[in-house]
Amino acid sequence: MLDQGAPPQSRSHPAPAVPGLGARLMRRKPVESLVAEGGQGEGGTLRRSLGLWQLTMISIGATLGTGIFVVLGEAVPKAGPAVTLSFVIAGLTALFSALSYAELAGTIPVSGSSYSYAYATMGELIAWICGWCLVLEYGVSVAAVAVGWGQYLNELLDGTIGVTLPAALSAPPGDGGVFNLPALIVVLLAMAFLLGGAKESARANTIMVGVKIAALLLFCLIGIQGFRSGNYANFMPLGMAGVSAAGATLFFSYIGFDAASTAGEEAKNAQRDLPRAIMLSLVIVTALYVVVAAVAVGAKPWRRFNDSEAALAQIMKDVTGQTFWGTLLAACAVIAIASVVLTVLYGQTRILFAMSRDGLVPKVFSRVHPKTGTPRANTLIVSVFCGVLAAAIPLGQLADATSIGTLFAFALVNVAVVVLRRTRPHMTRTFRVPLSPVLPALGFAFCVWMMGSLSAVTWVVFGVWMAVGLVFYFLYGHRRSRLAAANPAAPDVVTEK
């Protein structure tokens, strides 16, 4: 007998079953939704003002300088003269991933970079993990580069007015100091530019990129005069293990090429210009890295690099016997490294903007200021966090932590290309990875290999970071996900076209 008190609707239309936890974690966001939401934030919209030239300069600005001006002094003792080979290996790893980035940036031109690509292909949990790695990649690398900036600032002050900042105020705890004031200052300066707007920041970055390229070319012209072939006599003193260890550290130098992909919602023609900017910037940066590293090792025995964070300025002094050239290079480096801080900080804010719009982090990160068209609160919060981090943590620990987060995110991008090719084969792609899935598979393998070359301490730090991220996701992001709220009954809301 039927229950006469039951509403007729309940008999003919049973309530949809709520998907299990696993299905909810694998829920994917449609590419169409990602693209349609482009630029939209809380209370305003990002402004599309960037062309191919500006996008390329953003990528070069975020990349060029980090490895040469800052990390070279740490990498040479690991690999010896074969550090040039380490740059090539790190560059190849970046190239495979850059191809995948170029395809996805042209297909899904949004600010979230690999976080958004993972959301569209592998589900919300993987997207969160990728986004959390990007926070490590961008946020921590801002701090790492800011630490090196302080070293070159001291070189400049010493060469111009004969004074340097006391160690207590120019080095973090663990490196003989108490608080790295210059590192905090450069982050706050970058913040001031970003608050003015994306177009204004891009204009300042272009000028700084020109200065850094000129500085590196000047170094090559002078450094080649001190070149000694004997410095290459024992090319690989620490074996291939040393080369790969240095390569893993130097991969930190290549993270900026994907910065253009974080500008997808502020580009005038994102689908056309993003792939071009990514590939063009990587080619230019790799060529300069290898040439400058070859000249540096030829001009100075590898055992004498001793972890110097201002290695190029010291080489200029040694070769010429004068302080002028080293001081000039230090001045250029102060400007050049500031551009890395500016563009990487920009990328971090835009990734958090995308994650906030999806509900996975607080709404404050996607709030757009109506006058400047920028996420002002986001920029302030991220800048203060990165500035304090830069002032308190030594460079080496920051660089390795950034590398492992970057490699993990890049590995996921290579997987995302293959997945999207299979699930959405007919989508319009302005760039296609050649020989897919072979090259994406190589990109994935190279990333895993270089992650294995990092120290056990770095892996422990990475594990703790990921554990904290997962706790935050399950306590906050998973509960507030806008994708889940929009369709709670469907485990996968992707619609094929």
Side-chain angles (χ1 to χ4, degrees), residues 49-90:
S49 58
L50 306 177
L52 175 61
W53 175 251
Q54 290 94 340
L55 292 170
T56 303
M57 290 300 103
I58 285 173
S59 283
I60 294 178
T63 311
L64 185 60
T66 310
I68 290 298
F69 287 112
V70 178
V71 185
L72 182 64
E74 295 204 1
V76 172
K78 296 180 180 180
V83 71
T84 52
L85 183 57
S86 299
F87 267 115
V88 172
I89 292 173

Tab-separated table of all heavy atoms in Angstrom, residues 49-90:
chain	number	residue	atom	x	y	z
A	49	SER	N	45.135	44.921	-21.042
A	49	SER	CA	45.991	46.002	-21.541
A	49	SER	C	47.356	45.522	-22.016
A	49	SER	O	48.202	46.331	-22.402
A	49	SER	CB	46.188	47.059	-20.443
A	49	SER	OG	46.768	46.470	-19.281
A	50	LEU	N	47.612	44.208	-22.024
A	50	LEU	CA	48.945	43.691	-22.315
A	50	LEU	C	48.999	43.020	-23.686
A	50	LEU	O	48.173	42.167	-24.000
A	50	LEU	CB	49.380	42.697	-21.235
A	50	LEU	CG	49.321	43.211	-19.787
A	50	LEU	CD1	49.708	42.103	-18.819
A	50	LEU	CD2	50.225	44.424	-19.601
A	51	GLY	N	49.998	43.403	-24.488
A	51	GLY	CA	50.222	42.788	-25.786
A	51	GLY	C	51.373	41.795	-25.742
A	51	GLY	O	51.926	41.505	-24.671
A	52	LEU	N	51.767	41.272	-26.916
A	52	LEU	CA	52.832	40.270	-26.987
A	52	LEU	C	54.133	40.781	-26.378
A	52	LEU	O	54.807	40.060	-25.635
A	52	LEU	CB	53.061	39.860	-28.450
A	52	LEU	CG	54.235	38.910	-28.708
A	52	LEU	CD1	54.041	37.588	-27.978
A	52	LEU	CD2	54.412	38.666	-30.211
A	53	TRP	N	54.503	42.009	-26.682
A	53	TRP	CA	55.759	42.565	-26.174
A	53	TRP	C	55.760	42.606	-24.651
A	53	TRP	O	56.716	42.163	-24.008
A	53	TRP	CB	55.973	43.963	-26.752
A	53	TRP	CG	57.162	44.686	-26.217
A	53	TRP	CD1	57.175	45.756	-25.378
A	53	TRP	CD2	58.548	44.387	-26.479
A	53	TRP	NE1	58.466	46.154	-25.097
A	53	TRP	CE2	59.325	45.335	-25.758
A	53	TRP	CE3	59.192	43.424	-27.238
A	53	TRP	CZ2	60.716	45.337	-25.797
A	53	TRP	CZ3	60.589	43.422	-27.269
A	53	TRP	CH2	61.329	44.370	-26.553
A	54	GLN	N	54.693	43.113	-24.063
A	54	GLN	CA	54.631	43.190	-22.609
A	54	GLN	C	54.613	41.810	-21.963
A	54	GLN	O	55.238	41.584	-20.924
A	54	GLN	CB	53.385	43.973	-22.168
A	54	GLN	CG	53.441	45.461	-22.468
A	54	GLN	CD	52.791	45.801	-23.794
A	54	GLN	OE1	52.624	44.935	-24.647
A	54	GLN	NE2	52.426	47.063	-23.967
A	55	LEU	N	53.890	40.862	-22.570
A	55	LEU	CA	53.830	39.506	-22.022
A	55	LEU	C	55.200	38.838	-22.060
A	55	LEU	O	55.609	38.158	-21.115
A	55	LEU	CB	52.815	38.670	-22.799
A	55	LEU	CG	51.345	39.088	-22.642
A	55	LEU	CD1	50.479	38.347	-23.641
A	55	LEU	CD2	50.856	38.834	-21.225
A	56	THR	N	55.925	39.028	-23.170
A	56	THR	CA	57.276	38.458	-23.274
A	56	THR	C	58.198	39.077	-22.237
A	56	THR	O	58.997	38.383	-21.592
A	56	THR	CB	57.849	38.689	-24.682
A	56	THR	OG1	56.961	38.130	-25.649
A	56	THR	CG2	59.220	38.037	-24.828
A	57	MET	N	58.088	40.377	-22.050
A	57	MET	CA	58.921	41.053	-21.055
A	57	MET	C	58.576	40.603	-19.637
A	57	MET	O	59.447	40.535	-18.767
A	57	MET	CB	58.766	42.574	-21.175
A	57	MET	CG	59.381	43.175	-22.427
A	57	MET	SD	61.174	42.897	-22.579
A	57	MET	CE	61.212	41.578	-23.804
A	58	ILE	N	57.298	40.298	-19.398
A	58	ILE	CA	56.925	39.781	-18.077
A	58	ILE	C	57.615	38.450	-17.822
A	58	ILE	O	58.173	38.207	-16.737
A	58	ILE	CB	55.391	39.629	-17.975
A	58	ILE	CG1	54.737	40.995	-17.817
A	58	ILE	CG2	55.005	38.740	-16.791
A	58	ILE	CD1	53.221	40.967	-17.866
A	59	SER	N	57.620	37.569	-18.824
A	59	SER	CA	58.270	36.269	-18.659
A	59	SER	C	59.779	36.417	-18.491
A	59	SER	O	60.387	35.769	-17.633
A	59	SER	CB	57.972	35.372	-19.866
A	59	SER	OG	56.669	34.850	-19.791
A	60	ILE	N	60.387	37.260	-19.318
A	60	ILE	CA	61.838	37.473	-19.189
A	60	ILE	C	62.144	38.158	-17.854
A	60	ILE	O	63.112	37.812	-17.170
A	60	ILE	CB	62.368	38.312	-20.363
A	60	ILE	CG1	62.227	37.536	-21.675
A	60	ILE	CG2	63.837	38.690	-20.138
A	60	ILE	CD1	62.672	38.312	-22.898
A	61	GLY	N	61.323	39.113	-17.493
A	61	GLY	CA	61.534	39.809	-16.227
A	61	GLY	C	61.478	38.879	-15.033
A	61	GLY	O	62.244	39.019	-14.081
A	62	ALA	N	60.563	37.900	-15.085
A	62	ALA	CA	60.423	36.961	-13.975
A	62	ALA	C	61.508	35.902	-13.969
A	62	ALA	O	61.741	35.251	-12.945
A	62	ALA	CB	59.052	36.283	-14.048
A	63	THR	N	62.172	35.711	-15.098
A	63	THR	CA	63.133	34.617	-15.232
A	63	THR	C	64.577	35.099	-15.198
A	63	THR	O	65.373	34.675	-14.367
A	63	THR	CB	62.896	33.864	-16.560
A	63	THR	OG1	61.518	33.551	-16.691
A	63	THR	CG2	63.717	32.587	-16.621
A	64	LEU	N	64.902	35.973	-16.112
A	64	LEU	CA	66.299	36.367	-16.316
A	64	LEU	C	66.837	37.143	-15.125
A	64	LEU	O	66.286	38.176	-14.739
A	64	LEU	CB	66.418	37.220	-17.577
A	64	LEU	CG	67.833	37.608	-17.986
A	64	LEU	CD1	68.687	36.380	-18.247
A	64	LEU	CD2	67.789	38.499	-19.222
A	65	GLY	N	67.897	36.623	-14.558
A	65	GLY	CA	68.538	37.293	-13.443
A	65	GLY	C	68.602	36.437	-12.204
A	65	GLY	O	69.595	36.458	-11.486
A	66	THR	N	67.565	35.643	-11.964
A	66	THR	CA	67.520	34.850	-10.740
A	66	THR	C	68.697	33.898	-10.651
A	66	THR	O	69.428	33.874	-9.669
A	66	THR	CB	66.205	34.049	-10.682
A	66	THR	OG1	65.124	34.932	-10.934
A	66	THR	CG2	66.037	33.396	-9.332
A	67	GLY	N	68.894	33.085	-11.694
A	67	GLY	CA	69.956	32.092	-11.651
A	67	GLY	C	71.337	32.675	-11.818
A	67	GLY	O	72.303	32.201	-11.217
A	68	ILE	N	71.456	33.711	-12.656
A	68	ILE	CA	72.767	34.281	-12.931
A	68	ILE	C	73.211	35.219	-11.818
A	68	ILE	O	74.312	35.123	-11.291
A	68	ILE	CB	72.731	35.027	-14.285
A	68	ILE	CG1	72.613	34.015	-15.427
A	68	ILE	CG2	73.964	35.881	-14.467
A	68	ILE	CD1	73.776	33.062	-15.538
A	69	PHE	N	72.365	36.146	-11.443
A	69	PHE	CA	72.750	37.146	-10.452
A	69	PHE	C	72.747	36.604	-9.028
A	69	PHE	O	73.427	37.132	-8.161
A	69	PHE	CB	71.811	38.353	-10.521
A	69	PHE	CG	72.026	39.226	-11.722
A	69	PHE	CD1	71.065	39.304	-12.713
A	69	PHE	CD2	73.184	39.966	-11.868
A	69	PHE	CE1	71.241	40.113	-13.821
A	69	PHE	CE2	73.381	40.775	-12.975
A	69	PHE	CZ	72.405	40.858	-13.957
A	70	VAL	N	71.962	35.560	-8.762
A	70	VAL	CA	71.763	35.139	-7.374
A	70	VAL	C	72.254	33.716	-7.111
A	70	VAL	O	73.073	33.481	-6.224
A	70	VAL	CB	70.271	35.258	-6.982
A	70	VAL	CG1	70.054	34.783	-5.558
A	70	VAL	CG2	69.792	36.696	-7.141
A	71	VAL	N	71.769	32.734	-7.883
A	71	VAL	CA	71.977	31.328	-7.529
A	71	VAL	C	73.253	30.738	-8.126
A	71	VAL	O	73.710	29.682	-7.698
A	71	VAL	CB	70.745	30.488	-7.960
A	71	VAL	CG1	70.871	29.050	-7.496
A	71	VAL	CG2	69.483	31.086	-7.391
A	72	LEU	N	73.875	31.396	-9.098
A	72	LEU	CA	75.070	30.843	-9.741
A	72	LEU	C	76.152	30.518	-8.718
A	72	LEU	O	76.805	29.476	-8.790
A	72	LEU	CB	75.612	31.828	-10.778
A	72	LEU	CG	76.842	31.362	-11.559
A	72	LEU	CD1	76.504	30.140	-12.405
A	72	LEU	CD2	77.388	32.488	-12.432
A	73	GLY	N	76.332	31.403	-7.734
A	73	GLY	CA	77.360	31.175	-6.728
A	73	GLY	C	77.107	29.942	-5.887
A	73	GLY	O	78.053	29.360	-5.342
A	74	GLU	N	75.853	29.499	-5.779
A	74	GLU	CA	75.545	28.285	-5.035
A	74	GLU	C	75.621	27.040	-5.909
A	74	GLU	O	75.881	25.946	-5.416
A	74	GLU	CB	74.141	28.398	-4.436
A	74	GLU	CG	74.018	29.493	-3.397
A	74	GLU	CD	72.879	29.252	-2.430
A	74	GLU	OE1	72.198	28.224	-2.572
A	74	GLU	OE2	72.701	30.077	-1.525
A	75	ALA	N	75.382	27.194	-7.196
A	75	ALA	CA	75.353	26.039	-8.094
A	75	ALA	C	76.746	25.588	-8.528
A	75	ALA	O	76.988	24.387	-8.670
A	75	ALA	CB	74.510	26.365	-9.326
A	76	VAL	N	77.660	26.520	-8.731
A	76	VAL	CA	78.999	26.159	-9.234
A	76	VAL	C	79.718	25.190	-8.296
A	76	VAL	O	80.307	24.205	-8.755
A	76	VAL	CB	79.844	27.424	-9.489
A	76	VAL	CG1	81.283	27.041	-9.826
A	76	VAL	CG2	79.244	28.227	-10.637
A	77	PRO	N	79.718	25.395	-6.963
A	77	PRO	CA	80.391	24.420	-6.097
A	77	PRO	C	79.804	23.017	-6.169
A	77	PRO	O	80.468	22.046	-5.798
A	77	PRO	CB	80.212	25.024	-4.694
A	77	PRO	CG	80.047	26.486	-4.925
A	77	PRO	CD	79.271	26.579	-6.196
A	78	LYS	N	78.579	22.868	-6.646
A	78	LYS	CA	77.963	21.548	-6.753
A	78	LYS	C	78.373	20.813	-8.021
A	78	LYS	O	78.457	19.581	-8.033
A	78	LYS	CB	76.432	21.672	-6.729
A	78	LYS	CG	75.869	22.213	-5.431
A	78	LYS	CD	74.346	22.306	-5.503
A	78	LYS	CE	73.771	22.853	-4.197
A	78	LYS	NZ	72.285	22.961	-4.248
A	79	ALA	N	78.614	21.562	-9.104
A	79	ALA	CA	78.869	20.926	-10.397
A	79	ALA	C	80.239	21.238	-10.968
A	79	ALA	O	80.682	20.564	-11.898
A	79	ALA	CB	77.798	21.354	-11.405
A	80	GLY	N	80.935	22.255	-10.452
A	80	GLY	CA	82.193	22.650	-11.042
A	80	GLY	C	81.960	23.329	-12.388
A	80	GLY	O	80.887	23.892	-12.637
A	81	PRO	N	82.939	23.281	-13.303
A	81	PRO	CA	82.768	23.895	-14.621
A	81	PRO	C	81.575	23.346	-15.396
A	81	PRO	O	81.049	24.005	-16.288
A	81	PRO	CB	84.081	23.551	-15.345
A	81	PRO	CG	85.070	23.313	-14.250
A	81	PRO	CD	84.286	22.701	-13.130
A	82	ALA	N	81.123	22.138	-15.042
A	82	ALA	CA	79.982	21.530	-15.727
A	82	ALA	C	78.670	22.216	-15.367
A	82	ALA	O	77.604	21.758	-15.790
A	82	ALA	CB	79.901	20.047	-15.380
A	83	VAL	N	78.748	23.322	-14.631
A	83	VAL	CA	77.525	24.071	-14.329
A	83	VAL	C	76.849	24.547	-15.615
A	83	VAL	O	75.632	24.708	-15.676
A	83	VAL	CB	77.833	25.255	-13.392
A	83	VAL	CG1	78.608	26.349	-14.131
A	83	VAL	CG2	76.552	25.820	-12.786
A	84	THR	N	77.652	24.738	-16.673
A	84	THR	CA	77.051	25.110	-17.963
A	84	THR	C	76.143	23.988	-18.464
A	84	THR	O	75.079	24.243	-19.032
A	84	THR	CB	78.138	25.398	-18.999
A	84	THR	OG1	79.064	24.299	-19.045
A	84	THR	CG2	78.923	26.653	-18.639
A	85	LEU	N	76.584	22.733	-18.244
A	85	LEU	CA	75.749	21.596	-18.613
A	85	LEU	C	74.507	21.529	-17.733
A	85	LEU	O	73.416	21.165	-18.186
A	85	LEU	CB	76.555	20.299	-18.484
A	85	LEU	CG	75.875	18.996	-18.902
A	85	LEU	CD1	75.407	19.068	-20.348
A	85	LEU	CD2	76.830	17.814	-18.709
A	86	SER	N	74.648	21.923	-16.472
A	86	SER	CA	73.497	21.963	-15.564
A	86	SER	C	72.449	22.946	-16.059
A	86	SER	O	71.246	22.684	-15.994
A	86	SER	CB	73.951	22.354	-14.151
A	86	SER	OG	74.872	21.424	-13.628
A	87	PHE	N	72.909	24.083	-16.570
A	87	PHE	CA	71.972	25.053	-17.130
A	87	PHE	C	71.230	24.479	-18.336
A	87	PHE	O	70.034	24.708	-18.522
A	87	PHE	CB	72.711	26.331	-17.549
A	87	PHE	CG	72.748	27.390	-16.479
A	87	PHE	CD1	73.956	27.777	-15.923
A	87	PHE	CD2	71.589	28.007	-16.041
A	87	PHE	CE1	74.002	28.767	-14.945
A	87	PHE	CE2	71.625	28.989	-15.062
A	87	PHE	CZ	72.829	29.364	-14.511
A	88	VAL	N	71.958	23.733	-19.159
A	88	VAL	CA	71.341	23.129	-20.345
A	88	VAL	C	70.289	22.102	-19.936
A	88	VAL	O	69.181	22.063	-20.480
A	88	VAL	CB	72.406	22.477	-21.250
A	88	VAL	CG1	71.747	21.692	-22.380
A	88	VAL	CG2	73.334	23.548	-21.818
A	89	ILE	N	70.632	21.254	-18.944
A	89	ILE	CA	69.680	20.232	-18.480
A	89	ILE	C	68.445	20.893	-17.878
A	89	ILE	O	67.300	20.499	-18.163
A	89	ILE	CB	70.357	19.309	-17.448
A	89	ILE	CG1	71.436	18.458	-18.142
A	89	ILE	CG2	69.331	18.410	-16.769
A	89	ILE	CD1	72.270	17.634	-17.191
A	90	ALA	N	68.662	21.901	-17.043
A	90	ALA	CA	67.525	22.614	-16.455
A	90	ALA	C	66.703	23.289	-17.544
A	90	ALA	O	65.470	23.312	-17.494
A	90	ALA	CB	68.016	23.642	-15.437
